[in-house]
Amino acid sequence: MLKEWLECPQRLIAFARIGLHPSPADIEAAIRCLDKAQDAMRNNGQSAVALHPARAALVSLRWGHLPHRDACISAVLSLGSVMALGEAAE
């Protein structure tokens, strides 16, 4: 389930890395997905710290700024790691 929720934020941040600014509706949808994933992780007793880089990138997008390229890369990698761990746990 984590993979389904984290694909949207990961895709948006990856597009931001190459300079494409998503629509406000897409940014809000990605934040909602990230919130769902964070709640699920916490309910399972897992730390959601790995989601913080993605949240920072999405908040930057929400405020109308493109995150730094390295911040985007870090966020995408972190989300990928969480998705991989989520698949292994299922």
Side-chain angles (χ1 to χ4, degrees), residues 7-39:
E7 284 177 338
C8 174
Q10 186 182 44
R11 186 174 47 253
L12 249 68
I13 296 167
F15 282 132
R17 181 189 64 79
I18 60 173
L20 300 176
H21 201 289
S23 72
D26 288 343
I27 295 166
E28 294 306 318
I31 290 172
R32 282 192 302 275
C33 288
L34 195 65
D35 289 341
K36 288 178 186 177
Q38 181 175 318
D39 290 343

Side-chain angles (χ1 to χ4, degrees), residues 43-85:
N43 288 339
N44 289 332
Q46 298 171 311
S47 171
V49 172
L51 301 180
H52 289 202
R55 183 166 307 280
L58 291 172
V59 168
S60 181
L61 288 168
R62 179 190 265 171
W63 285 101
H65 305 287
L66 285 173
H68 190 271
R69 181 178 178 272
D70 291 340
C72 290
I73 292 170
S74 173
V76 167
L77 290 173
S78 292
L79 290 174
S81 296
V82 172
M83 287 190 285
L85 291 173

